[in-house]
Amino acid sequence: MRIFLVRHGEADAEAPEGLGDEARALTAKARASTAAHFASLAERIGPISLVLTSPLVRTVQTAQLLSTILKHEGTLRVHRCLLPDMPVGAVTPVIDDHTGENIVLVGHQPSMGALATHLLGIQSFPKQVNPGTIIAIERPDSTEPGAAPAPAKLLFFAAPGQQVLDVIQ
């Protein structure tokens, strides 16, 4: 199973008048730069079976951009487990329901860094997760009944405008 954790692209600093933070959209510049960043990684990502996103406008827009770039015609679902204030463990059942698939989770920071830390079994994530960053993780599909889950491993870390890293320290 491969899990791609994506932090939404850069959003407008202010919400539209009369609306809250959840309505902040991607900036025009972010739409272009995020799409270019995703396009540069499309071959590394490959086919995916599910895109799951936080319900906030900026994450839905980011998920739509990524789906378009990857030519993903399958499911794009909104899920509350990816809201900024949800605990990391809230997304675990969703991941477990898609064992054996390649999935994208589009969310916020610090949630994406915390989820990467959780999945990789490390104390803290050593890199800043900027808007538009993709953290690719491979998790073993199955374990022996009753055995501790095998650790996941980092496939790559890709922050916009930076070299893609296969190892992070």
Side-chain angles (χ1 to χ4, degrees):
M1 161 177 229
R2 293 185 320 158
I3 304 165
F4 300 93
L5 306 177
V6 181
R7 180 177 177 195
H8 63 78
E10 189 71 45
D12 287 326
E14 296 182 24
E17 189 173 328
L19 299 174
D21 177 66
E22 67 280 352
R24 289 192 308 126
L26 296 180
T27 65
K29 182 179 177 182
R31 281 191 283 276
S33 64
T34 303
H37 177 60
F38 291 164
S40 73
L41 297 166
E43 194 171 305
R44 281 187 95 151
I45 296 170
I48 53 172
S49 57
L50 172 71
V51 177
L52 192 67
T53 180
S54 156
L56 278 59
V57 169
R58 58 192 175 270
T59 54
V60 172
Q61 290 175 328
T62 301
Q64 290 170 329
L65 276 173
L66 185 58
S67 292
T68 300
I69 297 295
L70 297 177
K71 297 176 174 57
H72 173 65
E73 296 179 6
T75 305
L76 183 134
R77 287 191 0 221
V78 172
H79 202 292
R80 297 184 58 75
C81 71
L82 292 166
L83 282 167
D85 57 353
M86 294 300 285
V88 170
V91 76
T92 301
V94 175
I95 292 172
D96 291 344
D97 285 346
H98 294 281
T99 297
E101 300 177 37
N102 296 331
I103 64 172
V104 173
L105 305 175
V106 184
H108 310 269
Q109 190 57 5
S111 304
M112 292 295 96
L115 184 53
T117 298
H118 173 74
L119 291 170
L120 294 168
I122 57 179
Q123 291 293 322
S124 63
F125 199 74
K127 292 286 185 186
Q128 185 170 340
V129 183
N130 295 322
T133 295
I134 297 178
I135 304 168
I137 296 172
E138 184 172 48
R139 188 177 92 164
D141 287 334
S142 62
T143 59
E144 293 294 322
K153 70 175 187 175
L154 180 78
L155 295 175
F156 66 84
F157 173 86
Q162 298 179 19
Q163 182 178 355
V164 177
L165 302 175
D166 296 317
V167 175
I168 53 174
Q169 299 177 13

